[in-house]
Amino acid sequence: MSDQNRGKIPTIHDVARIAGVGIGTVSRVINHSTGVKPATRQRVQAAIEELRYSPNLIARSMISRNTGAIGIIVPFFTRPFFIEVLQGAVAAITHMGRELVLYNVETNDQRDRYFRDLPGQRKVDGLLVISLSPDDVAASAFRQAGMPVVLVDAYHPLLTSLVVDNIEGAYQAVKCLIAHGHRRIGFINGVTEGNFRFNQANDRLIGLHRAIGEAGLLFEPELVLTAPWDRQGGKQAALQLLARADRPTAIFAASDVQAIGVLEAARSLHLSVPADLSLIGYDDIEMAEVLELSTVQQPMKRMGELGVQKLLACIGGTADGEFLPELIRLQPSLMMRHTVIHTAPNV
């Protein structure tokens, strides 16, 4: 920075002067708009770095109606699944030079308030909504307000939705246990919290039914329990299942965190995993690899990254607020580690 500029707060006019372009070109570069030649874009970015220019987001929004910010609405964001999805989303947002505004949801009222108020406030250019499915009224309101919205791990036909095939993931897990000789398979599913409409739990139950039916086995509802999506919930459900005289020889947990609770329960009962009990989780969080847990892998970071890419495409795609919704279905994969063992079929 030159001496004459030292101590001054740089403006967009200073950037334009040093780069030898008009302020309109600088604005297009700042807002990641198309139509700027690579060499020109490079000169503008060099001038921004030289001046250490930080655009005023409020002023930018008054001129262009763009805030430069992406909003993410996520429930219980400290849970491992959401942390890993957020890591992918944050990396993509940072790479694109955008700001992040995080809206954590702990209650139904909080979720409904965000869905109702954010489109009109225009504090962000678009919303990434994780694991929360808007109802028809909220989805229609997003469209009418011209607010770009992408759902991750949730679905609505009016909005671009990025989901993982949870039915297939659960089917592969239970099919694997059956192939290893298990016939009494316990299932610890996630309990619906409030009326957040987590369809993932229902889909994983459907996958279980499909695998059992395909194998010609009898569905035993007493071996299916629901529990909170946390370690303590998994532990308590496992203690119930393993206290039965005809206890299961294998357990499929709807999340890795619940599966960690199953490991704790087995240890407290002096049961060895996998010698006495085979176990498969779901998600493939970082701790699953550390514990050598067999699990169904969701591409969590990719979900966040791709969700942001789709959202930015919506933001930059049309000016009239009309977005053609997509349904993007990602496939899970079974990660076999050291918590599953072959056993003689128990009939």
Side-chain angles (χ1 to χ4, degrees), residues 18 59 80 87 89 128 146 151 186 199-200 248 326:
I18 289 179
Q87 285 176 345
L128 191 73
L151 306 181
N199 292 323
Q200 302 88 330
E326 293 182 75

Side-chain angles (χ1 to χ4, degrees), residues 70 92-93 96 98 148 150 307-317:
I70 298 297
I93 290 171
M96 295 303 296
R98 297 272 181 161
V150 170
V308 169
Q309 291 172 354
K310 290 295 180 180
L311 181 58
L312 292 175
C314 288
I315 292 170

Side-chain angles (χ1 to χ4, degrees), residues 80-110:
F81 170 82
F82 296 119
I83 288 174
E84 298 208 23
V85 175
L86 283 172
Q87 285 176 345
V90 170
I93 290 171
T94 302
H95 177 73
M96 295 303 296
R98 297 272 181 161
E99 300 292 328
L100 166 65
V101 181
L102 185 65
Y103 301 96
N104 182 42
V105 172
E106 298 283 349
T107 66
N108 297 318
D109 288 342
Q110 196 174 30

